[in-house]
């Protein structure tokens, strides 16, 4: 596998202070031309409320159909962790993550579900996709139930 240009995989990386500083990397898709779904699940995503500074928690599910590139998973982990001290509303975090992945790897299709735990007693779930899914794609449910303690 060509790892030329990767700065994080196999290297000690300290992490990033903000999402803007984080480096999201890509690797060549060895199954280029095949229509398949890849899923990342981040059940312990955190960010901060931009008004109160209190922590917010979400279960993120990212589904995408790779084109020429795959998301390099260590860089995704570090990118998501960079939100830990970042103040933004749920909607902004969820959509920004989806758009950043699309910008970086240019997948055939992507959707992200942000299943946020209650803030002020109200859970906020945010969904974004890059367009309609490709014909013939097996698209499983994201598997996160409506909020009832999410347990």
């Amino acid at each position: 596998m060509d790892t030329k240009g990767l700065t994080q995989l196999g290297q000690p990386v300290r992490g990033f202070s903000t999402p803007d500083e984080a480096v999201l990397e890509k690797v060549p898709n060895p199954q280029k031309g095949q229509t398949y779904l890849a899923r990342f699940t981040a059940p312990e995503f955190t960010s901060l409320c931009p008004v109160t500074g209190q922590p917010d928690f979400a279960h993120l599910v990212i589904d995408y159909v790779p084109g020429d590139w795959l998301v390099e998973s260590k860089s995704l982990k570090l990118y998501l962790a960079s939100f830990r001290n970042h103040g933004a509303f749920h909607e902004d975090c969820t959509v920004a993550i989806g758009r950043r992945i699309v910008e970086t790897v240019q997948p055939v299709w992507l959707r992200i579900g942000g299943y946020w735990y209650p803030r002020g007693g109200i859970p906020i779930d945010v969904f974004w996709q890059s367009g309609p899914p490709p014909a013939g794609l097996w698209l499983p449910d994201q598997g996160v139930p409506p909020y009832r303690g999410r347990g």
Side-chain angles (χ1 to χ4, degrees), residues 36-115:
Y36 66 95
L37 184 90
R39 173 173 287 172
F40 290 105
T41 304
E44 298 177 349
F45 179 83
T46 60
S47 64
L48 298 177
C49 172
V51 177
T52 67
Q54 294 295 308
D56 288 320
F57 302 90
H59 182 139
L60 300 181
V61 180
I62 302 164
D63 293 325
Y64 78 107
V65 175
D68 294 341
W69 302 99
L70 302 174
V71 177
E72 195 286 304
S73 61
K74 180 177 181 180
S75 74
L76 178 64
K77 176 185 78 170
L78 293 168
Y79 171 61
L80 295 177
S82 74
F83 282 83
R84 186 162 289 153
N85 293 312
H86 177 71
F89 291 115
H90 302 334
E91 297 87 349
D92 186 28
C93 288
T94 306
V95 174
I97 291 165
R99 291 181 67 197
R100 175 83 179 267
I101 295 169
V102 167
E103 176 185 296
T104 302
V105 302
Q106 300 174 335
V108 173
W109 177 80
L110 179 138
R111 76 172 175 185
I112 181 170
Y115 302 88

Side-chain angles (χ1 to χ4, degrees), residues 3-33:
T3 59
K4 182 181 166 192
L6 294 179
T7 62
Q8 299 168 90
L9 184 62
Q11 304 297 321
V13 180
R14 190 172 183 146
F16 302 96
S17 299
T18 69
D20 289 339
E21 291 177 9
V23 178
L24 189 58
E25 297 184 330
K26 59 188 179 182
V27 295
N29 179 3
Q31 293 294 324
K32 181 179 170 183

